[in-house]
Amino acid sequence: MKNSKKSLIAIQGTAQFLAAYIALRWYEESIQKESSDTTILLYDTSVSKDNESLFLNSVKMMAQAVSLNNVIFISETEMRDLSLNWYSKCKRKLKSKLDNIDFDSVLIARDYGSFGTQLILNAYPNALSIEYGDSFGLVGNENALKASFSDFLNRPLNILKGIVKKSYIIITQSVLILI
């Protein structure tokens, strides 16, 4: 018996849902040649607590319209609490929240600012990462969001270089003003 492919659509808003659904349909029809059992993860939405349930309901209605019923929600507060753990524990907790499903593909908007985006990609390293355009139309290669250990080590050095460069510019401008 053939196992059904499993896909995760990770979104932060309704526009991302529409773009992800289009990307999923294209992938299933053009590349995979079969439908996926799809889970939608709505995470880190940054909407007020008063509007979270309304926002979740609007995404659920959109999902039901295209016959996707498995919607999981992680609020901004839950995501912040999750981020306060060791990174390996964050990944385990995220996977637990997603019923420990081993996804074959992860569809995610190209988003440089979210802890959740990086966490989701790293929690499923063996899944095909399908990055689609976000509301600004950005699309990049699948490795752009995956951090390496050397990136972690180089960050303090890059910050120090930036401080030295800005200090040099400020000092140079100050000297020119005095002359």
PDB file of all heavy atoms in Angstrom, residues 19-31:
ATOM      1  N   ALA A  19      -0.965  32.298  -1.786  1.00  0.00           N
ATOM      2  CA  ALA A  19       0.266  32.020  -2.541  1.00  0.00           C
ATOM      3  C   ALA A  19       0.732  30.589  -2.310  1.00  0.00           C
ATOM      4  O   ALA A  19       1.154  29.909  -3.253  1.00  0.00           O
ATOM      5  CB  ALA A  19       1.352  33.021  -2.140  1.00  0.00           C
ATOM      6  N   ALA A  20       0.649  30.110  -1.067  1.00  0.00           N
ATOM      7  CA  ALA A  20       1.078  28.739  -0.759  1.00  0.00           C
ATOM      8  C   ALA A  20       0.182  27.715  -1.439  1.00  0.00           C
ATOM      9  O   ALA A  20       0.660  26.700  -1.955  1.00  0.00           O
ATOM     10  CB  ALA A  20       1.078  28.517   0.754  1.00  0.00           C
ATOM     11  N   TYR A  21      -1.110  27.960  -1.440  1.00  0.00           N
ATOM     12  CA  TYR A  21      -2.035  27.023  -2.074  1.00  0.00           C
ATOM     13  C   TYR A  21      -1.765  26.929  -3.573  1.00  0.00           C
ATOM     14  O   TYR A  21      -1.756  25.832  -4.145  1.00  0.00           O
ATOM     15  CB  TYR A  21      -3.488  27.424  -1.811  1.00  0.00           C
ATOM     16  CG  TYR A  21      -4.460  26.443  -2.404  1.00  0.00           C
ATOM     17  CD1 TYR A  21      -4.618  25.173  -1.835  1.00  0.00           C
ATOM     18  CD2 TYR A  21      -5.182  26.748  -3.546  1.00  0.00           C
ATOM     19  CE1 TYR A  21      -5.477  24.240  -2.401  1.00  0.00           C
ATOM     20  CE2 TYR A  21      -6.046  25.826  -4.109  1.00  0.00           C
ATOM     21  CZ  TYR A  21      -6.191  24.576  -3.536  1.00  0.00           C
ATOM     22  OH  TYR A  21      -7.034  23.661  -4.098  1.00  0.00           O
ATOM     23  N   ILE A  22      -1.507  28.054  -4.205  1.00  0.00           N
ATOM     24  CA  ILE A  22      -1.167  28.049  -5.635  1.00  0.00           C
ATOM     25  C   ILE A  22       0.127  27.267  -5.861  1.00  0.00           C
ATOM     26  O   ILE A  22       0.225  26.449  -6.777  1.00  0.00           O
ATOM     27  CB  ILE A  22      -1.054  29.492  -6.174  1.00  0.00           C
ATOM     28  CG1 ILE A  22      -2.442  30.142  -6.192  1.00  0.00           C
ATOM     29  CG2 ILE A  22      -0.419  29.521  -7.558  1.00  0.00           C
ATOM     30  CD1 ILE A  22      -2.419  31.641  -6.395  1.00  0.00           C
ATOM     31  N   ALA A  23       1.136  27.496  -5.012  1.00  0.00           N
ATOM     32  CA  ALA A  23       2.405  26.775  -5.133  1.00  0.00           C
ATOM     33  C   ALA A  23       2.206  25.275  -4.916  1.00  0.00           C
ATOM     34  O   ALA A  23       2.783  24.449  -5.638  1.00  0.00           O
ATOM     35  CB  ALA A  23       3.423  27.330  -4.134  1.00  0.00           C
ATOM     36  N   LEU A  24       1.389  24.901  -3.936  1.00  0.00           N
ATOM     37  CA  LEU A  24       1.110  23.488  -3.665  1.00  0.00           C
ATOM     38  C   LEU A  24       0.427  22.827  -4.862  1.00  0.00           C
ATOM     39  O   LEU A  24       0.823  21.738  -5.283  1.00  0.00           O
ATOM     40  CB  LEU A  24       0.239  23.337  -2.420  1.00  0.00           C
ATOM     41  CG  LEU A  24      -0.208  21.906  -2.093  1.00  0.00           C
ATOM     42  CD1 LEU A  24       0.979  21.049  -1.674  1.00  0.00           C
ATOM     43  CD2 LEU A  24      -1.262  21.916  -0.996  1.00  0.00           C
ATOM     44  N   ARG A  25      -0.588  23.475  -5.396  1.00  0.00           N
ATOM     45  CA  ARG A  25      -1.300  22.912  -6.548  1.00  0.00           C
ATOM     46  C   ARG A  25      -0.354  22.735  -7.735  1.00  0.00           C
ATOM     47  O   ARG A  25      -0.382  21.718  -8.421  1.00  0.00           O
ATOM     48  CB  ARG A  25      -2.492  23.799  -6.950  1.00  0.00           C
ATOM     49  CG  ARG A  25      -3.562  23.915  -5.888  1.00  0.00           C
ATOM     50  CD  ARG A  25      -4.304  22.647  -5.595  1.00  0.00           C
ATOM     51  NE  ARG A  25      -4.939  22.204  -6.829  1.00  0.00           N
ATOM     52  CZ  ARG A  25      -5.213  20.943  -7.124  1.00  0.00           C
ATOM     53  NH1 ARG A  25      -4.933  20.000  -6.279  1.00  0.00           N
ATOM     54  NH2 ARG A  25      -5.782  20.630  -8.264  1.00  0.00           N
ATOM     55  N   TRP A  26       0.484  23.734  -7.973  1.00  0.00           N
ATOM     56  CA  TRP A  26       1.451  23.633  -9.076  1.00  0.00           C
ATOM     57  C   TRP A  26       2.391  22.451  -8.832  1.00  0.00           C
ATOM     58  O   TRP A  26       2.616  21.643  -9.735  1.00  0.00           O
ATOM     59  CB  TRP A  26       2.270  24.927  -9.191  1.00  0.00           C
ATOM     60  CG  TRP A  26       3.423  24.765 -10.143  1.00  0.00           C
ATOM     61  CD1 TRP A  26       3.394  24.875 -11.496  1.00  0.00           C
ATOM     62  CD2 TRP A  26       4.761  24.411  -9.788  1.00  0.00           C
ATOM     63  NE1 TRP A  26       4.633  24.613 -12.016  1.00  0.00           N
ATOM     64  CE2 TRP A  26       5.494  24.324 -10.990  1.00  0.00           C
ATOM     65  CE3 TRP A  26       5.414  24.156  -8.594  1.00  0.00           C
ATOM     66  CZ2 TRP A  26       6.846  23.997 -11.025  1.00  0.00           C
ATOM     67  CZ3 TRP A  26       6.759  23.829  -8.619  1.00  0.00           C
ATOM     68  CH2 TRP A  26       7.467  23.763  -9.820  1.00  0.00           C
ATOM     69  N   TYR A  27       2.914  22.333  -7.614  1.00  0.00           N
ATOM     70  CA  TYR A  27       3.854  21.254  -7.303  1.00  0.00           C
ATOM     71  C   TYR A  27       3.192  19.883  -7.442  1.00  0.00           C
ATOM     72  O   TYR A  27       3.765  18.965  -8.032  1.00  0.00           O
ATOM     73  CB  TYR A  27       4.420  21.439  -5.892  1.00  0.00           C
ATOM     74  CG  TYR A  27       5.350  20.328  -5.486  1.00  0.00           C
ATOM     75  CD1 TYR A  27       6.607  20.212  -6.075  1.00  0.00           C
ATOM     76  CD2 TYR A  27       4.979  19.386  -4.539  1.00  0.00           C
ATOM     77  CE1 TYR A  27       7.466  19.186  -5.731  1.00  0.00           C
ATOM     78  CE2 TYR A  27       5.831  18.357  -4.188  1.00  0.00           C
ATOM     79  CZ  TYR A  27       7.073  18.257  -4.785  1.00  0.00           C
ATOM     80  OH  TYR A  27       7.921  17.235  -4.454  1.00  0.00           O
ATOM     81  N   GLU A  28       1.988  19.749  -6.912  1.00  0.00           N
ATOM     82  CA  GLU A  28       1.291  18.456  -6.990  1.00  0.00           C
ATOM     83  C   GLU A  28       0.976  18.061  -8.439  1.00  0.00           C
ATOM     84  O   GLU A  28       1.133  16.903  -8.805  1.00  0.00           O
ATOM     85  CB  GLU A  28      -0.015  18.505  -6.186  1.00  0.00           C
ATOM     86  CG  GLU A  28       0.180  18.510  -4.697  1.00  0.00           C
ATOM     87  CD  GLU A  28      -1.125  18.650  -3.920  1.00  0.00           C
ATOM     88  OE1 GLU A  28      -2.163  19.014  -4.513  1.00  0.00           O
ATOM     89  OE2 GLU A  28      -1.095  18.392  -2.710  1.00  0.00           O
ATOM     90  N   GLU A  29       0.553  19.003  -9.251  1.00  0.00           N
ATOM     91  CA  GLU A  29       0.170  18.700 -10.624  1.00  0.00           C
ATOM     92  C   GLU A  29       1.369  18.558 -11.570  1.00  0.00           C
ATOM     93  O   GLU A  29       1.367  17.701 -12.442  1.00  0.00           O
ATOM     94  CB  GLU A  29      -0.782  19.776 -11.161  1.00  0.00           C
ATOM     95  CG  GLU A  29      -2.143  19.746 -10.473  1.00  0.00           C
ATOM     96  CD  GLU A  29      -3.034  20.904 -10.868  1.00  0.00           C
ATOM     97  OE1 GLU A  29      -2.683  21.675 -11.803  1.00  0.00           O
ATOM     98  OE2 GLU A  29      -4.107  21.051 -10.249  1.00  0.00           O
ATOM     99  N   SER A  30       2.395  19.398 -11.370  1.00  0.00           N
ATOM    100  CA  SER A  30       3.511  19.424 -12.309  1.00  0.00           C
ATOM    101  C   SER A  30       4.667  18.504 -11.926  1.00  0.00           C
ATOM    102  O   SER A  30       5.313  17.940 -12.801  1.00  0.00           O
ATOM    103  CB  SER A  30       4.059  20.850 -12.439  1.00  0.00           C
ATOM    104  OG  SER A  30       3.056  21.718 -12.867  1.00  0.00           O
ATOM    105  N   ILE A  31       4.957  18.373 -10.666  1.00  0.00           N
ATOM    106  CA  ILE A  31       6.154  17.644 -10.236  1.00  0.00           C
ATOM    107  C   ILE A  31       5.790  16.321  -9.563  1.00  0.00           C
ATOM    108  O   ILE A  31       6.231  15.253  -9.976  1.00  0.00           O
ATOM    109  CB  ILE A  31       6.999  18.502  -9.258  1.00  0.00           C
ATOM    110  CG1 ILE A  31       7.296  19.887  -9.831  1.00  0.00           C
ATOM    111  CG2 ILE A  31       8.267  17.764  -8.844  1.00  0.00           C
ATOM    112  CD1 ILE A  31       8.110  19.913 -11.084  1.00  0.00           C
TER     113      ILE A  31
END
